[in-house]
Amino acid sequence: MILYAHKQNNGCNDFAMDMVFVWAPGEGPLSLPDEVGSTLGAEGYRSFELEIHYNNPSRDAGVTDSSGARVYFTSTLRPHELGIYQVGDPLLALGGTDVGDGLTRHDFECPSTCSATTMENDTVTVFRELLHMHEKGLTMTNTQVRDGFPIRSGSVEFYDFEQAGVYSVIQDSFALKRGDSFRTTCYYDANQGDKIGLASDDEMCIAFLLYYPKQTFPAFYCGPDHFAGEACTADYESKTLVDLGEIAVARGNNGVIDNSCGASNDDDNDDSASSSLQVGL
């Protein structure tokens, strides 16, 4: 489920809306920091658009759904606007590409030119990092690189789509500086014929970075074949793995394989009782 917000009353125009909330199985409420919101009204967002991806492989008839998102607002304007930066393959430029038979690794290298050209602020603050794959995903990492050196990495060691479809990395807020780059890596255990795509049976590899203050560049994301040009076009490489050894190293257990563990996503925002997005007016 994705909630988009529109500033203009021009219908469903993909280039005139912002993503403000993303949900997948296991994800809890989103309560924004006290200093962050999204302006509503004449000077801000004027309408919302809800996108839901349904999975009905058996084509059962007569199935209904009442899913939705509840948005809370305040009359006190907050100082910073919410933004979401996406890396990996957010536009599914690789849609239709084979994931590979068996164990595979897929790397997306977002160049430093992306943040250098799209950020008007020298620094923004990332307060939430969400890692997203589908049912064949095993492990995922999103490494931040500055001046050629990795400075931090968000990861989910044992990914389970049903438990945490958008895994929220447990960490403190961190700075994203102009010129930083990202290396997003997804590991899968797939079958022949599995492809990258929108369906639940397909696969994805996307990291969502919720940050403030919002940057005004209309395409603040990075992936293969970016329509805005080479500055935000990520290099992509895939590799077939012989065994679980590399995945074990990526999980940080020095080669010890333990598949008995499941992904967990303990939400540290227990002050909100319902699935919501908090915005400022």
Side-chain angles (χ1 to χ4, degrees):
M1 178 191 299
I2 304 173
L3 185 67
Y4 296 100
H6 295 264
K7 288 189 175 180
Q8 305 295 330
N9 289 328
N10 58 353
C12 300
N13 185 331
D14 289 344
F15 298 100
M17 65 184 182
D18 295 324
M19 179 187 294
V20 293
F21 178 63
V22 58
W23 180 93
E27 174 67 356
L30 170 62
S31 183
L32 299 179
D34 291 342
E35 66 273 22
V36 182
S38 294
T39 305
L40 304 178
E43 301 300 321
Y45 296 129
R46 305 178 68 179
S47 64
F48 291 99
E49 175 183 337
L50 185 64
E51 176 181 304
I52 300 179
H53 299 174
Y54 291 105
N55 183 36
N56 186 8
S58 60
R59 300 184 180 274
D60 295 333
V63 179
T64 61
D65 178 60
S66 59
S67 298
R70 181 177 293 117
V71 178
Y72 293 93
F73 67 92
T74 173
S75 59
T76 303
L77 186 67
R78 295 184 170 186
H80 298 298
E81 291 283 324
L82 167 70
I84 300 181
Y85 182 34
Q86 303 174 59
V87 294
D89 187 16
L91 295 179
L92 293 182
L94 299 179
T97 301
D98 288 333
V99 178
D101 187 12
L103 301 173
T104 59
R105 186 189 75 201
H106 297 253
D107 296 304
F108 300 86
E109 298 273 356
C110 177
S112 60
T113 51
C114 189
S115 61
T117 57
T118 58
M119 287 177 58
E120 56 262 28
N121 293 80
D122 289 332
T123 304
V124 299
T125 299
V126 178
F127 64 89
R128 193 174 178 96
E129 182 176 25
L130 303 174
L131 306 180
H132 179 58
M133 298 183 290
H134 281 178
E135 296 174 351
K136 303 300 174 62
L138 294 177
T139 297
M140 181 173 176
T141 62
N142 188 45
T143 302
Q144 183 180 5
V145 179
R146 182 174 299 159
D147 298 326
F149 296 95
I151 60 171
R152 54 155 298 279
S153 183
S155 65
V156 50
E157 296 179 356
F158 294 89
Y159 184 84
D160 187 320
F161 178 76
E162 295 299 330
Q163 290 192 42
V166 279
Y167 178 84
S168 180
V169 179
I170 301 173
Q171 61 187 345
D172 294 330
S173 299
F174 61 89
L176 168 57
K177 294 182 177 294
R178 182 187 289 153
D180 285 356
S181 59
F182 286 91
R183 181 172 63 250
T184 308
T185 302
C186 290
Y187 295 88
Y188 304 99
D189 186 3
N191 300 314
Q192 186 174 3
D194 289 338
K195 299 183 182 300
I196 294 173
L198 284 170
S200 295
D201 291 338
D202 295 332
E203 274 305 327
M204 291 185 177
C205 184
I206 307 172
F208 302 92
L209 304 175
L210 280 64
Y211 73 93
Y212 66 89
K214 183 179 182 294
Q215 304 300 283
T216 59
F217 190 79
F220 196 37
Y221 43 78
C222 185
D225 299 325
H226 195 295
F227 69 88
E230 293 184 0
C232 287
T233 294
D235 291 333
Y236 166 71
E237 182 179 7
S238 64
K239 176 184 177 182
T240 299
L241 305 180
V242 176
D243 54 39
L244 285 168
E246 180 178 331
I247 297 175
V249 173
R251 288 172 170 170
N253 54 4
N254 298 319
V256 178
I257 310 294
D258 182 2
N259 288 321
S260 63
C261 298
S264 62
N265 189 15
D266 295 330
D267 199 314
D268 54 2
N269 296 311
D270 294 331
D271 55 343
S272 181
S274 61
S275 181
S276 64
L277 170 71
Q278 192 172 23
V279 298
L281 179 65

